[in-house]
Amino acid sequence: MTVDDTARSKNTLSDSSGRAPGSSALLTDQYELTMLAAALRDGTAHRPCVFEVFARRLPAGRRYGVVAGTARVLEALQRFRFGPAELAVAERFLDADTLAWLRDFRFTGEIDGYREGELYFPGSPILTVRASFAEGVILETLILSILNHDSAIASAAARMVSAAAGRPLIEMGSRRTHEQAAVAAARAAYLAGFTTTSNMEAARTYGVPSGGTAAHAFTLLHTGPDGPDEEAAFAAQVAAQGPGTTLLVDTYDITEGVNRAVRAAGPELGGVRIDSGDLGIITRQVRTQLDELGARNTKIVVSGDLDEYAIGALRAEPIDVYGVGTSVVTGSGAPTAGMVYKLVQVDGIPVAKRSSHKETVGGEKRSLRLARSTGTIVEEVPYPAGSMPAVPAHLTATELQIPLVRGGDTVPGLPGLEQARTHLQRAMVTLPWEGLGLSHGEPAIATRFDAQARR
């Protein structure tokens, strides 16, 4: 496997407990295993099937989504093994034949999908799994839990990057989510264009650039019998990290904090961070103050419950770097991507749900994205696999799915994290201008299923 951030994410848990090393097999729902058991019993388990991942709609008001987590899915798939510990859980409700099948399980099918960093829209066939029913059905939760989480984070982060208009963003949301979700969130935010993360595990596992200096606790630590000594705290930080560090100046009084920061570090102070107050008014005052103190190159970093709307509102202010935490890692800022995993074909026969508001389109699909000669995308066209839609002469078409897994093995040479990050930067430029708006609206382009594509 050559996805650059996948090899680093191998879990090396000891198997002394009987676990398959780092097994992902129980990151699933029980109904997948009970369906497997029933299909093995009635002989339908080995029918060739096609499953697809897609989103019926985008979160309310969103104009586009960003695919993220594909490399994590492929890595987790390689660890989808049932050792004694996993089988001990499953044997509580499964029969001996199903347990034997799980004991020998290794995915042998094929997977195609949108590359990481690609935009997606309602109905986009983001991932296609071709395998027996047995092999495909037990992957549903594993695939959806990763893609839904990472794509939600990346989609929210991309909006913040757009709102920041070229200024760096720091992901600092680890303390607001599950400890492992924080690592995945840092990766997804970096993919979407964030510059650094505060999360050290993300730095180790995925090579995401890390950054961080000090919190209010360090300033408060420097309190003695005579009261707080903010300047001593700043001097200690500068002594340890050099004058290029960023000092947090809003523990007490911001104006005095800035004076003390420049006295402690000199006019070459790297930055000041402000975490509270009316950031628009305060940053203008602080910029003037820094310039008057001769610290013209000192950057202003702001944080404190920022989201894309707050960042957009501050675009005209003298802010150099944004620190974003809660809104990029939680449901309020990154609502679920709403992806589903549906069976669409059995033995070459299209199958579809007819449930109200949950209808599906049967049959395996591919997808083209159409664009004007300027590069601006205008439409996405899913179509039946094995056929080809007609493309108007004035438009260009890009095939969106790429091979990801063949014969159960990850395809060599897949794009890595840095390539996904670059791809998204280029893809964002192709959106119609209204697609970059932060106001609520319809998806940036329409998705049109072409059932009449030529075979």
Side-chain angles (χ1 to χ4, degrees), residues 435-448:
L436 296 172
L438 297 180
S439 59
H440 282 208
E442 295 300 314
I445 64 171
T447 305
R448 172 179 59 85

Side-chain angles (χ1 to χ4, degrees), residues 39 50 84 130 137 197 224 417:
V50 177
R130 293 186 293 272
V137 76
T197 180
L417 180 56

Side-chain angles (χ1 to χ4, degrees), residues 57-390:
R57 61 193 65 85
L58 298 176
R62 294 292 178 89
R63 309 296 185 90
Y64 61 87
V66 175
V67 177
T70 308
R72 294 208 313 117
V73 167
L74 300 181
E75 189 275 331
L77 180 61
Q78 300 306 312
R79 295 185 290 110
F80 201 89
R81 303 284 190 274
F82 287 81
E86 289 75 33
L87 293 170
V89 175
E91 70 182 3
R92 301 170 190 170
F93 58 89
L94 293 178
D95 60 273
D97 289 341
T98 304
L99 293 170
W101 188 92
L102 291 173
R103 186 177 295 111
D104 297 331
F105 173 77
R106 177 186 177 279
F107 183 72
T108 62
E110 297 183 346
I111 300 178
D112 292 345
Y114 287 22
R115 57 178 293 164
E116 280 202 279
E118 187 58 85
L119 301 175
Y120 74 88
F121 300 93
S124 298
I126 295 164
L127 202 74
T128 301
V129 177
R130 293 186 293 272
S132 69
F133 178 81
E135 290 191 21
V137 76
I138 62 174
L139 300 181
E140 176 186 0
T141 299
L142 181 74
I143 289 173
L144 287 181
S145 62
I146 295 174
L147 289 183
N148 268 320
H149 175 270
D150 290 22
S151 297
I153 300 295
S155 299
R159 286 162 57 89
M160 296 172 196
V161 171
S162 179
R167 300 179 214 184
L169 293 102
I170 306 168
E171 185 282 313
M172 49 201 314
S174 296
R175 298 181 303 279
R176 300 294 185 264
T177 188
H178 183 276
E179 68 274 13
Q180 293 302 321
V183 182
R187 179 186 184 276
Y190 180 68
L191 184 157
F194 273 53
T195 310
T196 57
T197 180
S198 65
N199 188 282
M200 297 308 300
E201 186 59 44
R204 176 176 74 164
T205 301
Y206 299 117
V208 178
S210 62
T213 52
H216 293 102
F218 188 74
T219 303
L220 294 169
L221 171 67
H222 292 76
T223 301
D226 297 326
D229 193 344
E230 187 176 38
E231 194 164 339
F234 292 163
Q237 184 175 328
V238 170
Q241 300 180 11
T245 190
T246 297
L247 298 173
L248 181 59
V249 295
D250 70 341
T251 305
Y252 305 114
D253 177 83
I254 291 177
T255 300
E256 280 305 307
V258 171
N259 287 331
R260 291 165 182 156
V262 175
R263 282 201 299 268
E268 296 308 310
L269 170 63
V272 295
R273 180 161 75 94
I274 303 166
D275 191 53
S276 59
D278 187 324
L279 295 177
I281 295 173
I282 291 171
T283 53
R284 291 196 294 274
Q285 294 173 341
V286 168
R287 182 72 269 163
T288 299
Q289 184 181 1
L290 287 169
D291 291 348
E292 290 174 349
L293 292 170
R296 295 183 177 276
N297 295 323
T298 299
K299 297 184 183 301
I300 297 176
V301 183
V302 298
S303 54
D305 296 325
L306 297 178
D307 59 15
E308 61 264 50
Y309 302 105
I311 292 169
L314 293 168
R315 189 178 296 175
E317 307 302 341
I319 294 168
D320 299 289
V321 182
Y322 301 94
V324 184
T326 303
S327 64
V328 78
V329 301
T330 64
S332 58
T336 179
M339 295 178 186
V340 294
Y341 183 93
K342 297 300 178 184
L343 179 63
V344 297
Q345 188 166 294
V346 179
D347 279 330
I349 303 169
V351 296
K353 286 179 61 175
R354 299 179 182 175
S355 310
S356 178
H357 304 297
K358 289 191 174 183
E359 302 90 345
T360 59
V361 177
E364 180 180 353
K365 290 167 283 296
R366 309 287 294 179
S367 192
L368 293 179
R369 188 161 293 159
L370 306 185
R372 299 190 181 99
S373 59
T374 59
T376 302
I377 57 177
V378 296
E379 190 175 44
E380 185 156 329
V381 185
Y383 63 92
S387 63
M388 180 57 66

